[in-house]
Amino acid sequence: SEVPRAKLLDFGLSRLMTKNVAPLGGTRNWMAPELKGGRSSARPAPSADVFSFGLLIHFVVRVGRSTGGDGWPDGDSCLRDCGQLSEACQQQSPSARPPMVQ
């Protein structure tokens, strides 16, 4: 059995948010719904990053875990907290997502 390894990836999309910054793109499966399909020409709001963070939490915690159905495992309070945070971050409406400071 292999020891799990954490990996951090940076695709070079980070930059300062200025009033003239233009969207750089991204991976469609990790994008907030308001950024998909070219529906918005406005620059991405921080809430779009919150959405992607919620997907990341889900991926890290849930991938490879079987719960026998949808939802989060019941026995672990940390997993339950991660599930609640992930779901809050993935709200369809940007204004319904928590700010990153939470």
Side-chain angles (χ1 to χ4, degrees), residues 10-58:
D10 180 356
F11 295 102
L13 297 177
S14 299
R15 68 251 161 101
L16 291 175
M17 293 296 289
T18 65
K19 70 178 191 172
N20 296 325
V21 70
L24 287 176
T27 305
R28 186 165 173 73
N29 290 344
W30 293 87
M31 282 183 178
E34 65 270 18
L35 300 178
K36 290 182 180 178
R39 290 183 286 198
S40 173
S41 60
R43 72 181 193 188
S47 59
D49 291 333
V50 172
F51 184 89
S52 298
F53 178 68
L55 291 173
L56 178 64
I57 294 169
H58 183 89

Side-chain angles (χ1 to χ4, degrees), residues 89-101:
C89 290
Q90 292 182 67
Q91 294 296 311
Q92 293 297 304
S93 171
S95 63
R97 298 174 198 146
M100 194 55 93
V101 295

Side-chain angles (χ1 to χ4, degrees), residues 40-80:
S40 173
S41 60
R43 72 181 193 188
S47 59
D49 291 333
V50 172
F51 184 89
S52 298
F53 178 68
L55 291 173
L56 178 64
I57 294 169
H58 183 89
F59 179 80
V60 168
V61 175
R62 284 297 309 268
V63 170
R65 294 183 183 271
S66 174
T67 61
D70 290 335
W72 292 79
D74 291 330
D76 188 315
S77 65
C78 179
L79 290 177
R80 223 177 7 260

